[in-house]
Amino acid sequence: MKYQIKEFEKNILYYETAKRQLETYITAINNEFEVIEDYNPINHITTRIKSIESIVGKLKRKNLTISLKNAEKLTDIVGARIIVDFIENIYEIINKIKANKNIEIVEERDYITKPKVSGYRAYHLIVLIPVSIDGINKDIYCEIQIRTIAMDFWATNEHKLNYKTNNHDLVYQKKWQETAKKVWDLDKSMNELFLEKKKNNIKHDKNRLNIELSFLKSIDKFGKLKRLGDTSG
C-alpha cells in the first residue's frame, strides 16, 4: 500500500502540469474573446486536482485494485470548472476548446439538453492533455465542466446539502427537481435577453459601418470634385 501511495505522489507532478496547461488554454480563450470579440463570456474559472485520499477512495468505490495503472484510467483527477453568464456562452466556449489542437476530446456529456434525474445541468468534456516530464510522455485525462452562473448556484447548493447522504425521499427529490426547473426557466429567459442584445449590437455595428462608409464615399467624392475644379481652373 505504501508503495502505491508513493507512486501516486510521483505521478501528481503530471497532473499538476496538465492542470497548469489547461489553465493556460482557458486563459487564452478568455483573452481571445476580450481582444477579438470585445466581450468576455467567462465569469470565473476554478481548477483542482483530486487528493491521493480521494483517488484511493474512488478506486475502492469502483472495486478496483489500488494501483497507478488503475488511477490513470480515472478521467476526473484533474478538473476545471468554467462558469459563464448565459447558455449561449457555453456553446461558444465548447467551440473554442474544440478548435484547440492541443486538446483531444475523448467524450462529451450533455447534461443541458439531457439533465440528470436530480435536475443537474451542465456540459462536461473529458479531454486528454499531453504532458512530457523528464523525457516521459503521458496523455492526462482532465474533466471540464461548463455551467452558467444559475446552473452553478443550483449545483453548488445541491452538492452542499446532498453529497454523500442517502436521502432517497421522493418528496425531497421532487423539490430539487422543481427548483432545477425554476433555475432553468430563469436561465432561458436571461439567454433570450442576451441574444436579443447581441442581435441589436450587430444591427448597430452594421449601421455604424454604413455611416462610416457613406462618410468616406462623401470625402472621396468631394476630393474628386475639388481635383476637377483645380484642373478646370
Side-chain angles (χ1 to χ4, degrees):
M1 181 68 174
K2 286 183 180 179
Y3 171 77
Q4 283 93 343
I5 297 298
K6 195 67 182 174
E7 286 296 299
F8 287 166
E9 288 174 349
K10 282 194 213 170
N11 214 48
I12 287 295
L13 184 57
Y14 282 92
Y15 296 122
E16 288 174 348
T17 305
K19 182 173 81 74
R20 285 196 295 271
Q21 287 184 199
L22 190 57
E23 288 168 346
T24 300
Y25 296 146
I26 296 170
T27 300
I29 290 172
N30 207 19
N31 294 339
E32 185 179 335
F33 271 105
E34 285 182 346
V35 174
I36 299 174
E37 306 291 343
D38 199 28
Y39 88 105
N40 185 1
I42 298 177
N43 187 279
H44 64 276
I45 304 159
T46 59
T47 57
R48 63 102 181 100
I49 298 175
K50 275 184 182 293
S51 66
I52 292 173
E53 292 77 14
S54 294
I55 295 170
V56 171
K58 187 156 191 176
L59 290 173
K60 285 180 177 178
R61 288 194 299 275
K62 287 178 169 286
N63 294 317
L64 295 171
T65 305
I66 297 170
S67 67
L68 184 60
K69 185 178 180 180
N70 283 333
E72 288 180 337
K73 294 175 184 176
L74 300 179
T75 59
D76 64 344
I77 291 179
V78 179
R81 188 169 292 153
I82 304 172
I83 310 302
V84 299
D85 297 320
F86 306 100
I87 298 168
E88 179 74 8
N89 299 150
I90 292 176
Y91 299 102
E92 291 175 335
I93 297 298
I94 291 168
N95 289 336
K96 294 291 185 183
I97 292 172
K98 287 182 175 180
N100 189 323
K101 302 302 181 186
N102 297 306
I103 300 175
E104 179 186 343
I105 296 175
V106 177
E107 185 181 350
E108 297 182 51
R109 299 171 184 171
D110 183 359
Y111 297 121
I112 297 176
T113 56
K114 296 178 181 178
K116 291 185 178 182
V117 176
S118 63
Y120 173 84
R121 276 189 165 90
Y123 205 101
H124 293 196
L125 295 171
I126 305 299
V127 304
L128 284 172
I129 303 292
V131 174
S132 180
I133 297 175
D134 198 26
I136 300 173
N137 302 321
K138 289 188 179 184
D139 290 327
I140 303 299
Y141 280 112
C142 304
E143 181 184 55
I144 304 172
Q145 298 178 359
I146 312 170
R147 306 172 179 170
T148 63
I149 297 171
M151 291 173 191
D152 190 57
F153 163 75
W154 184 93
T156 300
N157 286 320
E158 194 273 340
H159 183 270
K160 189 180 292 183
L161 295 177
N162 295 336
Y163 185 59
K164 291 184 179 178
T165 61
N166 294 314
N167 192 334
H168 299 296
D169 181 81
L170 292 177
V171 175
Y172 183 77
Q173 291 177 14
K174 183 74 173 175
K175 286 179 180 178
W176 277 106
Q177 291 167 351
E178 288 171 355
T179 57
K181 186 181 182 307
K182 289 176 183 177
V183 168
W184 177 238
D185 288 341
L186 176 63
D187 239 345
K188 287 191 294 182
S189 296
M190 295 300 288
N191 195 62
E192 286 172 8
L193 291 171
F194 168 70
L195 291 175
E196 188 175 329
K197 185 178 186 300
K198 193 175 181 181
K199 186 178 179 182
N200 289 336
N201 285 346
I202 292 171
K203 284 183 180 178
H204 174 74
D205 291 342
K206 189 175 180 181
N207 290 337
R208 187 174 64 182
L209 180 63
N210 288 336
I211 292 169
E212 289 172 353
L213 287 172
S214 297
F215 179 68
L216 290 172
K217 286 178 181 178
S218 298
I219 292 175
D220 185 56
K221 186 176 181 181
F222 176 77
K224 286 178 180 177
L225 289 172
K226 187 174 184 304
R227 284 195 298 274
L228 184 64
D230 292 342
T231 305
S232 301

